[in-house]
Each structure stands twice: as C-alpha cells, then as structure tokens.
Amino acid sequence: MSRSQLAPGVEVVAVPGRGLAVRTADGEFLSVRAGETERDALLARLSGAATGEPDAELDRLVRAFEDAGYLTEGVQRPAWPAERRDVRLVGDPVLTGPLAACLRAEGAEPQPAAPGEAADGQPAAVVWCLDGPVPEGLWDAADRLPERGVAWLRCHREGWQAYVEPLAVAAGDVTSAHVRARRLAATPAHRELDAYWSGPRISGRSVRLTAPAAGLLAALLADDLTRWATGAPDSGGLPARRRLRRVDLRTLTVTEHPVLPVPAVAPMPETTG
C-alpha cells in the first residue's frame, strides 16, 4: 500500500468543473493551477504511487507543495526521550488519572506523588491538577522548580471554568504567581477575585467534573508536555510557555489568552522626615 506524501491534516480533492484543490491543516481550501494532463500525475506523486518518468512541470508543482509546507518526509512524531520520561503527578485523581493514561500513551512514565515529595530525585517534570481553586501560597514552592531544571505545569478549576496555565521550563518563565497577578490586574473585580481565592466561600451544589471535561483537560496538559519533551513545534496560536487556556466546562470551549512574566518590582526607597 502506497504511503501518502502529504503532511498530516492536508488533503487534495478533485472539484467537479474546477480541477484540484488543497484543504490545508487549518481547514482552508486553495485552488491548484494544473492542467488536465498533470492532475492525475500529481495525485499519483502525492500519494507515493508515481512510477512514470521525471516531468519538469510535475516537479514544479510538487516543489510548490513542499515550499508551502504541505508535504512530509514521513517522519513521525519524535519518541519521548528517556531522560524526560519521569513525570510526577500531584493533585486530584479525577484529573491525574486520565492525564497519566495520556502520558503513558505518548511514552512517558508518570507516577503519583505527594506535594512535598514531587521533586524528589530530580524528575523531568511536575504536573499539579486541582479540582478546585488554588489556595493562596500552595504553589509558591513549586514555582521555583524551573530554576532547578524541572518543568512545571498545572491546572485548576474555578466553578464551571478551568484554567490550564503556561508550561514553565526555565527561570524567567511564567509561574502560577505571575498568572495570579496578571488575572488580578486584568479585572475590575480584583478585590472579589482575591477574596474568592482566599475563601471562605459558600457554594451551591458542587460542580461535578465529567469524564469528557477531565479528558479534555488531560489532553491539553499532555499535549503541552509531550511537545516540550520531544521538541515538537507548537500547533499554532500562542506558544505554550506564554499561553493561559480557559476551558468552559459546560460547553468544553477553549479560549487562549497571552500571559507574560511579571517583572520584579524594586522596593520603595525609605524616606526620612
């Protein structure tokens, strides 16, 4: 069976009366300017089934596909390197359970860990998942993990909204404290939000995290971590290390928001009166 040379997500379709069109990985349709004699040969070449003699016009068309990034050399997603397989999972099993399954399927070796022991033995990464708001100060120590060479990823839920925070892999990356500060600065209800985080809170019936919602959050976390571990490029949009994802758990709608580190603030100079 012949192997397609088209990149994953790219397809070529024959449009009646219009010739060939490319459906890109982003879902756009682009017309292919090719004569009738080249169409069948182009389809055969792109599917890896070509057996004819070299043709200059056909080679030109194929190069156009290559230059546009619509072809692949058949290289699969890189394997998870051994030195980054040790991933510690902290938090609520409703999230860490499906996340562990996703990571194992990609080639990692996730294992549960207690908060105070997550970084023992210098793991490659720590992922902390909470099925609720983050208590003040809970993630302060973990925010220092990237300075020690440990990747740091986390998510939490606030009512019907869940947040997948940026992946931090080096000193200077976005931490949970930075996300907290940015969110407070971005809302006029900063006092209310701060009070909500600090508690106490009175809630109605508890929000039950459904299996599809937990699976979506696990998939987002696993994809970010896998791309970092294997060196695969981001899939588009904002880079993982500068992206805060907000997930509406009622509709499973994901929105992305840019977030940057918060610069250190110099202390106020002392004054004498």
Side-chain angles (χ1 to χ4, degrees):
M1 186 174 181
S2 61
R3 189 173 187 178
S4 175
Q5 293 186 12
L6 291 171
V10 178
E11 299 168 286
V12 175
V13 59
V15 183
R18 303 276 297 184
L20 299 180
V22 177
R23 186 184 187 278
T24 71
D26 294 324
E28 298 180 3
F29 285 96
L30 304 174
S31 296
V32 179
R33 293 182 179 178
E36 286 188 35
T37 57
E38 286 89 20
R39 291 174 191 169
D40 290 342
L42 178 61
L43 291 174
R45 176 76 69 87
L46 294 177
S47 66
T51 57
E53 295 295 326
D55 180 274
E57 179 60 18
L58 182 59
D59 290 343
R60 183 190 67 80
L61 289 170
V62 173
R63 280 197 302 272
F65 272 75
E66 185 176 12
D67 293 342
Y70 299 149
L71 298 186
T72 179
E73 296 180 354
V75 178
Q76 302 298 311
R77 192 165 182 169
W80 199 300
E83 65 273 13
R84 290 183 171 178
R85 288 178 186 160
D86 184 2
V87 179
R88 310 291 173 83
L89 304 183
V90 186
D92 295 307
V94 68
L95 288 165
T96 59
L99 176 57
C102 289
L103 292 174
R104 280 193 292 269
E106 294 293 340
E109 297 175 355
Q111 54 183 310
E117 303 170 354
D120 289 354
Q122 191 73 8
V126 171
V127 189
W128 200 327
C129 304
L130 288 178
D131 186 22
V134 185
E136 187 171 3
L138 179 66
W139 284 348
D140 286 355
D143 274 347
R144 307 295 299 271
L145 289 173
E147 300 174 15
R148 298 168 46 189
V150 178
W152 165 226
L153 187 59
R154 60 250 172 229
C155 76
H156 70 280
R157 179 181 62 80
E158 297 176 8
W160 283 115
Q161 291 74 44
Y163 293 87
V164 179
E165 299 198 2
L167 173 66
V169 301
D173 277 351
V174 177
T175 66
S176 68
H178 295 159
V179 171
R180 206 175 183 95
R182 293 294 188 187
R183 288 186 60 195
L184 287 173
T187 175
H190 56 90
R191 294 181 182 86
E192 291 80 357
L193 181 58
D194 187 56
Y196 172 76
W197 285 335
S198 302
R201 300 176 296 274
I202 299 176
S203 303
R205 292 183 60 185
S206 61
V207 173
R208 185 178 70 87
L209 196 61
T210 65
L216 173 59
L217 293 172
L220 293 174
L221 292 165
D223 185 68
D224 282 350
L225 203 61
T226 302
R227 291 180 185 279
W228 161 75
T230 62
D234 285 328
S235 56
L238 298 168
R241 292 164 69 178
R242 296 294 184 268
R243 174 184 62 206
L244 174 67
R245 284 177 168 143
R246 182 179 182 272
V247 181
D248 188 318
L249 299 174
R250 298 163 296 185
T251 62
L252 302 188
T253 302
V254 182
T255 54
E256 296 185 351
H257 307 272
V259 60
L260 296 173
V262 177
V265 178
M268 292 289 291
E270 295 183 4
T271 58
T272 56

